[in-house]
Amino acid sequence: MKAALSRWRQRLLLQRVLDAPDCITTSQAVVQLCASIGSGLLPRATPRWWMRRRAGGTWEDLRVCDDATEDYFREKLRMSRRVFMEISEACVPDVQRQVTFYREPLQPKQIVAYALYRWATGESYDNSTSSFGMGRTSGVRVVRDVTAAILRVYGEKISWPTGVRKQVVLRDFLDKGFPNCHGAVDCTHIYVDKPANAPSENYFDRKHRFSVIAQVVVDLDLRVLDVFVGYPGSCHDIRVIQLSSLSRRAEEGLLFRGPPVTLPGGVTTNGYILGDNRYPPSE
């Protein structure tokens, strides 16, 4: 209603100006231009000349639909195009950018694609943002916004299996020779810039880079069951497990039930976790 009232006032004002004696000779082209602007058919402002247009890069390549689209998505984002579309559509309300009088804002799919691309490749902000036509500051904000959106939308997706799903997981591991096994756990390093005012030796890992450790549990379908992130890269994997919420819940009997299982070869689980030969649970 406000928009319609505004257009009506503009048309009324324009008519009054046209009815004035000094506007009789006004050309028809100028009248049509003024009417178009007043009705909202033409933009009121053009992009500022000092705002550089966004480049295409990897994002434009992802938008092309051809025979190689599926392979390109898996190469750049580590997922199929269908999965990417589902994630981007679910995150649209949280990553939508406001339209301004400057240049065209980043599109929601482009925002989600950049965050997934950086997580998949591990490139620095300086290198990865140029492939998506955005600045470094925009890239940092995009990753934070997409992280918050995914946690809100898919917060219940990462959970320990229960009911029928739990029985399916136990049966699959039993077929592989691991009775009473719920999942496979391992730690990986996420490379980061050294946090300010923190001792460098804490985050300096065995690969001579600064990182934090992510402990992940998956089943045979690579479905993520549990994630624990945050300890500095110098920590040992077993130390991280001992400090994790997974260890606390297991010791409280909230996850696993039953006595330890002896595997072929005389290998016995230590309570709830079986370590390999290099990193036995006793460590």
Side-chain angles (χ1 to χ4, degrees), residues 167-186:
Q167 298 304 319
V168 171
V169 172
L170 291 175
R171 184 190 59 193
D172 291 343
F173 275 106
L174 179 61
D175 294 341
K176 296 293 184 180
F178 296 93
N180 200 27
C181 182
H182 293 71
V185 58
D186 198 5

Side-chain angles (χ1 to χ4, degrees), residues 77-92:
L77 306 184
R78 305 290 179 87
M79 63 180 62
S80 65
R81 186 176 184 275
R82 179 186 61 82
V83 174
F84 166 73
M85 296 300 294
E86 292 178 358
I87 295 175
S88 59
E89 291 174 1
C91 296
V92 165

